[in-house]
Structures are given as structure tokens and as C-alpha cells.
Amino acid sequence: MTVKLTNALTLFFSLLVEAMPFLLLGVLLSSLLLLFVDERRLIAVMPKHPLAGALAGSLAGFLFPVCECGNVPVARRLLIQGAPSSMAVGFLLAAPTVNPIVFWATWTAFRDQPEIVFLRIFFSLAIAVIVGWTFSRQVDLRPMMQPSVARLMPTPVPPSQIGQSALLQSGTFLLDAAGQPIRLDNLVAAGGTIISRPFSERLQLMIDNVTQEFRELGGMLVIGSAIAAAVQVFVPRDIILSLGQGPITSILAMMALAWVVSICSTVDSFFALAFASTFTSGSLLAFLVFGPMIDLKNIGLLLTVFRGRTILYLFMLAGQLTFLFCLVMNLYIS
């Protein structure tokens, strides 16, 4: 029992040391978005079509290279600032994998199997776009969010009113200096005209916001890491891997392993490399694609944004699509 406790503590601190720098990076990017980016201009240049929005969000990882811990605060900030749900969900799922750091790390580990490198990016991108587009069908995402986040989100414009004059839309509006109507509830939810405040004031607000978000999300990361470490100790990896090495069972085994071990996406390719000689290419891709999207460690972080039912939807959609893509890989390609 003492040995298991020691192993659990070692795993717990390993996960924390690995994840905390990326969480801090995500919180910094989130605060920069809040205080130094004009959200109305940002939203104005975003694609309006749900599929294009999901693709843009999925590719945004090249601009914000964060792992599965740092992507949560950035996705939350995008939703609060009124970004389309397809874009925020696409970023949430794709950014931990579709970014230059992870591409380089995967290439270093699997340079002898380049198909693993490129299919990892392609599968992650395709799954993120499909799930992001699916979430865009929900016009008002607020019932699926935690109340603290839903209160800050702007009121969505119904599809029937898109393109209409503001004078024909429901809601409360003000006229800006140019005489253009501004939806009042959206302005309040987004934090008003923070971007117009003096630089020193915005800098102080950024420091306060970083402290608050890091304390809130860091606490959830500690809980998630503790649960992941305990599960790894009491459910050994050998039991999961013994589930099977066939074309189907190997995919399920590696997806379960990825969910449990919760390794950062920047280094998980080196962990997967140890199984390259015994597992199929499809099952290796299942580990590399599914783990960065939803693992045991970051469920606590996701619970600061989404309700539990929404996380279950994300988990089921991402899991089914990963299984389908990797099964095709096992049966028809590799």
C-alpha cells in the first residue's frame, strides 16, 4: 500500500509539473484576448458559416500553440467574447494537436512512419471540424454552459435575424459615435469598452485576471491530476493493454490508455513510440488523436466551462469519430 501511495504521489506531481506551464500559457493568452483585442473587430472578421468557423478555429492552434490544459481558458474566452460556438469547440479539440510544437515532436518520434505524423494532424482536424459544426446547430449554447460562463456570454442572434437591420432585431441597442447600433446586452457581457482604457490600467486588469483564472483553473487541474494518478496506480496499464491487440480491440485499448495516462500532447508521441512494434498504426493514432482531446486530467478544467452533460457529448462524439477513423486505418490502409 505504501508503494502504491508513493507511486500515486510521483505520478500526481509529474502530471502537475508537466501541465502547469501550459495552463499558465493558456491563461496568459486568454487575458491578452480579453484586454488587448477588440472583440467586436475580432468577431467581425470571423467566418460566419459554421463549417468555415469550425475550420478556422481548428487551425487557430498554429497561432496559439497550447496543449490540452492551455486550450481550455482560451476557448472559454472565445465563447465569452461572442465567437461562434463552432470556432471555439473546433479550437478546443484541435489546438492541442494541430500546432507546430506537437507536429515537430511527433515528427521527431515517428520520422520513420511519416503517415502517423500527417494522419494525426488530419484526423484531429477532421474530428474537430465535425464536432464544432455539430455544436453550431445549437443556436443558444448557454444552457450547455456552466452558469458562471453563461452569464458572461452575449445573446446569440437567431439565424432568421442574421443580415437584418438591427432595427428589425429584438433586444436593447445604443448608437455609437458613428451612429451605428450596438447591442447593449452584448456590450455589457463582453466587458464594455475595456480596449479603450489606458494601457497601464489594462495591464493591471490583465495581472488580476491571470491571477484569478490561474487560481480557479489550477485548483481544478490539481483535482484532475490527483484522480488520474490514482486511477493509473489502481488500474495498471497492463490490464488496459491486455484488452486486446486486434484491429478493433487495440483501438479501444489505446483510447482507454490515452484517457487514463493523461500525458501532455507535446510529449505523448514519445510514449506511444514504445508501443510501435506491438500495436497497429490505427491504434497508435487512436492514442495520439483521442488523448489530447479529452483525458481524465483535464475533465476538471472542462467542468469550469461546460456542464457535465455537454462534456459527455464531447467525449462520445470525439470518441466515436476517433474509433471510426482509426478502424478504417487498420482495415484498409495499414
Side-chain angles (χ1 to χ4, degrees):
M1 189 64 185
T2 305
V3 175
K4 285 189 174 182
L5 185 60
T6 303
N7 290 339
L9 284 173
T10 303
L11 286 169
F12 168 69
F13 286 116
S14 299
L15 289 171
L16 274 186
V17 170
E18 181 184 74
M20 276 296 179
F22 290 97
L23 177 63
L24 181 59
L25 176 62
V27 169
L28 284 171
L29 288 174
S30 166
S31 299
L32 287 172
L33 277 175
L34 171 66
L35 299 169
F36 294 97
V37 176
D38 189 328
E39 67 276 5
R40 283 174 291 178
R41 291 184 179 179
L42 179 67
I43 294 170
V45 300
M46 290 179 182
K48 300 297 184 292
H49 192 279
L51 206 55
L55 181 61
S58 302
L59 292 172
F62 281 99
L63 299 176
F64 305 105
V66 292
C67 75
E68 64 269 28
C69 297
N71 65 338
V72 175
V74 177
R76 183 171 75 165
R77 180 61 55 199
L78 288 173
L79 287 168
I80 290 174
Q81 290 191 306
S85 57
S86 59
M87 181 177 184
V89 173
F91 175 82
L92 181 72
L93 296 179
T97 305
V98 185
N99 72 61
I101 297 174
V102 173
F103 179 83
W104 174 81
T106 310
W107 175 262
T108 302
F110 287 95
R111 64 179 62 191
D112 294 332
Q113 295 176 272
E115 70 276 11
I116 296 285
V117 182
F118 293 102
L119 286 176
R120 181 186 195 187
I121 300 295
F122 175 74
F123 285 179
S124 299
L125 192 60
I127 292 169
V129 169
I130 293 171
V131 176
W133 177 78
T134 302
F135 268 71
S136 73
R137 308 307 297 171
Q138 175 76 18
V139 176
D140 188 357
L141 209 59
R142 290 176 296 177
M144 305 175 74
M145 314 298 290
Q146 291 291 348
S148 59
V149 177
R151 281 195 297 272
L152 299 174
M153 292 175 65
T155 304
V157 178
S160 59
Q161 294 185 0
I162 294 177
Q164 286 185 354
S165 166
L167 298 176
L168 299 177
Q169 300 177 16
S170 59
T172 305
F173 293 84
L174 291 175
L175 294 179
D176 62 12
Q180 296 300 314
I182 304 173
R183 186 183 283 269
L184 181 60
D185 43 4
N186 284 0
L187 184 63
V188 172
T193 55
I194 292 177
I195 194 72
S196 62
R197 298 185 185 182
F199 178 80
S200 57
E201 186 177 343
R202 280 185 287 156
L203 188 60
Q204 183 59 50
L205 285 172
M206 191 191 85
I207 294 172
D208 293 343
N209 191 71
V210 167
T211 304
Q212 180 182 348
E213 284 199 339
F214 191 68
R215 185 172 58 226
E216 177 187 355
L217 297 176
M220 299 307 296
L221 180 63
V222 169
I223 295 173
S225 299
I227 294 174
V231 170
Q232 285 192 60
V233 169
F234 293 102
V235 184
R237 297 170 188 175
D238 293 342
I239 294 179
I240 297 173
L241 295 176
S242 66
L243 292 175
Q245 296 185 1
I248 295 177
T249 55
S250 64
I251 296 173
L252 297 174
M254 291 301 278
M255 287 174 64
L257 183 66
W259 188 72
V260 169
V261 297
S262 306
I263 298 179
C264 177
S265 59
T266 55
V267 295
D268 61 356
S269 53
F270 299 100
F271 181 89
L273 185 61
F275 301 97
S277 60
T278 53
F279 276 80
T280 61
S281 297
S283 60
L284 294 175
L285 280 168
F287 179 90
L288 295 171
V289 170
F290 184 67
M293 290 185 177
I294 299 177
D295 61 31
L296 191 55
K297 176 188 63 188
N298 76 347
I299 283 182
L301 295 176
L302 290 173
L303 279 172
T304 64
V305 183
F306 300 104
R307 292 181 185 272
R309 184 181 57 184
T310 311
I311 296 174
L312 183 61
Y313 290 156
L314 279 170
F315 180 86
M316 296 299 294
L317 284 171
Q320 290 176 27
L321 288 169
T322 301
F323 178 79
L324 181 63
F325 279 119
C326 295
L327 184 62
V328 171
M329 176 74 183
N330 270 352
L331 295 180
Y332 300 105
I333 300 177
S334 63

